[in-house]
Amino acid sequence: MIKNNAQFDVIILGGGVAGLWLLNRLRQQHYQAIILDTHHLGAGQSCAAQGIVHGGLKYSLQGNLSTSAQAIADMPQRWKDCLQGQGEIDLSQVQQLSEKQYLFSTQQLSSKLLTFFAGKTLKARIQIVERNAYPKALDNKAFQGNVYQLPEPVLNMQSLLRHLSQPQKPFIYQVDEYNIEQGNSQQIVITQKDKCYTLTAKKIILCAGKNNQTLLQQFIATKKQYMQLRPLQMPMLWSKDLPVFYAHCLGKGINPRMTITSHYREDAIVWYLGGEIAEQGVNIPKNQQIEKAQQALQAIFPWRDFSSMQWRTLFVERAEEKQLLHTRPSTASLLVIEHLYLAWPTKMAMAPLLADRIIEQLQKDDINPGNKVQPLVLDSVSVASLPWE
Ligand SMILES: Cc1cc2nc3c(=O)[nH]c(=O)nc-3n(C[C@H](O)[C@H](O)[C@H](O)COP(=O)(O)OP(=O)(O)OC[C@H]3O[C@@H](n4cnc5c(N)ncnc54)[C@H](O)[C@@H]3O)c2cc1C
């Protein structure tokens, strides 16, 4: 057995959007940082995401544009800079599925909501769309609602993960498993074929999504729950006849009842359905969820027939920092637990914010870039597949 030791500044466990964004930022700042991933990059949430770079509209609609939600409002511009090759990470090669998305209601909105949309908080971020400029999906006489446009981009998640990982390939490793000694939060041992690596780090950062809690308990003896899961059953349908469409459909209230994004599967267009429909359909079998989604779409687009299309659903869980009332955290979460950092972006859009917080915390903890470490000889990791592939 060949034994190797290596000392890093930071070891990140998990290469979803959170871990990959962080790795790019840390290496720019000359930190000796690596990612270890036990599956594929983005397996779990990132590859299942709808790819919307949210700007916190939901919080504004709820009249709750707090300081933290204001930080989310800044995210689309920060991502747009990167997508134009002028931001903190060069994402100019990432496939942008759309530069904007729509917000629409099936009936005329109440005058209260119309006044709110025209008000100061939202005016700069949301534009009314006139009937002659409706997207193809809504361009029908039977449609009698209101349509708005939001300047929030939608990304191909696989393309994003590829372009975040490509420049850092020598520092991202696939490991089937690793050994953690409870009580030692700065060391990981990897045994692969005839090699044994003992890796130490000034800081180990857990970015493993829903596996963060289990990982934490491997390092530290604790029964405390730091994480909550938000399960979803996402319906998806595909056909050559579906128009490309990115939109939130408002229900009676202010919460989007359905968020539709469009993706590509061979020569068909896939509609991937999130929002209330996915959240409320977690306890019913797949065929019932498909039926429910068909009815919901039929009510929104009565002029289309969805029953003959191909359907499927995906069960997936969002991982977030535990909240007292299981509400959704309004920003990215970083917890410092003994020697470890535990991180969830809450939304893909907030990965840049999470990286800022982690870098600030490293500086507070006096963890600075150290001497150069040679890349390890371990397998590289590929990006996970998309739900409709
Ligand atoms: C259906 C759905 C739709 C969404 N849509 C959007 C959206 O439109 N916009 C938005 O902003 N957000 C969206 N989100 C939220 C967003 O996807 C997540 O907040 C974000 O992807 C989380 O990234 P992550 O890197 O923390 O976790 P993940 O993407 O789950 O990545 C975890 C990584 O850790 C690895 N891993 C797992 N266990 C271990 C281990 N033991 N050791 C090492 N590595 C491990 C995995 O292989 C994976 O690479 C959506 C989420 C879901 C589920």
Side-chain angles (χ1 to χ4, degrees):
M1 177 77 68
I2 305 162
K3 292 197 171 175
N4 296 283
N5 293 334
Q7 158 86 51
F8 294 94
D9 298 322
V10 174
I11 297 177
I12 303 166
L13 299 181
V17 70
L20 289 171
W21 198 284
L22 177 63
L23 181 70
N24 277 275
R25 291 286 314 281
L26 288 175
R27 295 214 65 101
Q28 282 167 2
Q29 301 192 14
H30 310 291
Y31 279 98
Q32 300 302 303
I34 57 166
I35 286 181
L36 302 179
D37 199 300
T38 47
H39 302 79
H40 292 286
L41 300 175
Q45 302 161 87
S46 300
C47 270
Q50 290 190 280
I52 302 167
V53 181
H54 294 281
L57 177 83
K58 223 175 190 171
Y59 300 100
S60 317
L61 287 173
Q62 288 159 352
N64 179 22
L65 202 66
S66 59
T67 325
S68 53
Q70 183 58 49
I72 308 170
D74 298 338
M75 287 300 114
Q77 190 53 51
R78 203 161 157 185
W79 279 83
K80 277 183 208 165
D81 290 344
C82 294
L83 292 165
Q84 284 162 8
Q86 290 159 2
E88 61 210 66
I89 300 176
D90 182 0
L91 299 182
S92 54
Q93 301 303 309
V94 171
Q95 187 196 7
Q96 215 182 134
L97 295 171
S98 178
E99 287 181 351
K100 57 175 189 274
Q101 37 165 340
Y102 295 98
L103 177 78
F104 72 98
S105 60
T106 45
Q107 294 154 12
Q108 289 291 310
L109 288 171
S110 68
S111 55
K112 196 170 147 214
L113 216 49
L114 286 173
T115 316
F116 181 56
F117 280 173
K120 221 170 68 192
T121 331
L122 290 185
K123 210 170 166 189
R125 295 166 48 203
I126 178 166
Q127 267 175 17
I128 193 154
V129 179
E130 300 298 342
R131 181 130 216 153
N132 59 6
Y134 277 4
K136 199 170 163 211
L138 298 176
D139 191 12
N140 189 285
K141 280 201 296 279
F143 177 73
Q144 292 299 330
N146 298 88
V147 187
Y148 293 87
Q149 188 177 300
L150 309 173
E152 297 177 353
V154 187
L155 309 179
N156 173 332
M157 289 304 297
Q158 222 175 28
S159 166
L160 171 66
L161 295 170
R162 275 203 191 109
H163 287 97
L164 281 173
S165 58
Q166 211 113 51
Q168 309 301 343
K169 209 170 167 197
F171 313 108
I172 305 174
Y173 308 110
Q174 155 95 59
V175 286
D176 292 336
E177 54 180 351
Y178 39 75
N179 292 322
I180 296 166
E181 187 190 332
Q182 204 169 60
N184 186 348
S185 299
Q186 290 182 300
Q187 185 175 295
I188 281 176
V189 178
I190 302 168
T191 314
Q192 234 179 43
K193 295 173 198 144
D194 58 340
K195 293 194 191 73
C196 173
Y197 287 95
T198 302
L199 310 182
T200 46
K202 296 174 194 162
K203 192 57 67 185
I204 293 182
I205 304 179
L206 311 190
C207 286
K210 72 171 188 175
N211 287 346
N212 270 358
Q213 177 77 34
T214 323
L215 264 177
L216 175 74
Q217 284 162 333
Q218 286 177 257
F219 283 105
I220 305 173
T222 176
K223 290 207 169 80
K224 191 168 169 191
Q225 272 295 327
Y226 292 95
M227 182 180 78
Q228 66 186 22
L229 294 175
R230 194 176 295 283
L232 301 165
Q233 188 178 178
M234 303 281 291
M236 63 192 100
L237 62 154
W238 62 94
S239 153
K240 285 181 188 159
D241 302 328
L242 279 170
V244 171
F245 190 42
Y246 302 90
H248 300 292
C249 172
L250 287 184
K252 285 200 195 88
I254 47 176
N255 277 330
R257 72 170 145 160
M258 191 187 281
T259 298
I260 303 170
T261 50
S262 303
H263 309 268
Y264 299 88
R265 186 183 194 268
E266 289 155 14
D267 54 350
I269 301 292
V270 182
W271 276 15
Y272 190 38
L273 311 180
E276 241 172 51
I277 183 105
E279 282 174 23
Q280 291 175 357
V282 285
N283 292 321
I284 55 174
K286 199 170 114 179
N287 55 345
Q288 273 180 37
Q289 174 69 341
I290 291 175
E291 234 169 78
K292 249 181 85 179
Q294 273 175 2
Q295 285 163 7
L297 279 184
Q298 213 59 70
I300 300 172
F301 306 93
W303 59 91
R304 260 180 204 286
D305 175 21
F306 294 98
S307 58
S308 58
M309 296 186 182
Q310 307 263 10
W311 284 82
R312 181 191 284 183
T313 69
L314 172 78
F315 278 98
V316 59
E317 288 169 308
R318 287 183 172 193
E320 301 163 348
E321 179 192 352
K322 189 174 170 58
Q323 306 292 297
L324 215 56
L325 298 171
H326 202 76
T327 49
R328 182 172 300 156
S330 60
T331 186
S333 300
L334 169 64
L335 300 179
V336 180
I337 297 162
E338 297 185 14
H339 268 297
L340 294 162
Y341 292 176
L342 209 57
W344 294 277
T346 306
K347 289 206 155 286
M348 166 275 279
M350 290 194 274
L353 194 63
L354 181 63
D356 291 349
R357 299 242 166 99
I358 294 175
I359 291 168
E360 254 169 52
Q361 189 64 42
L362 286 170
Q363 285 160 357
K364 250 192 232 162
D365 290 341
D366 208 19
I367 293 172
N368 299 304
N371 294 335
K372 206 164 173 183
V373 187
Q374 286 307 314
L376 305 173
V377 187
L378 288 170
D379 293 343
S380 55
V381 202
S382 55
V383 174
S385 51
L386 296 169
W388 41 87
E389 281 177 351

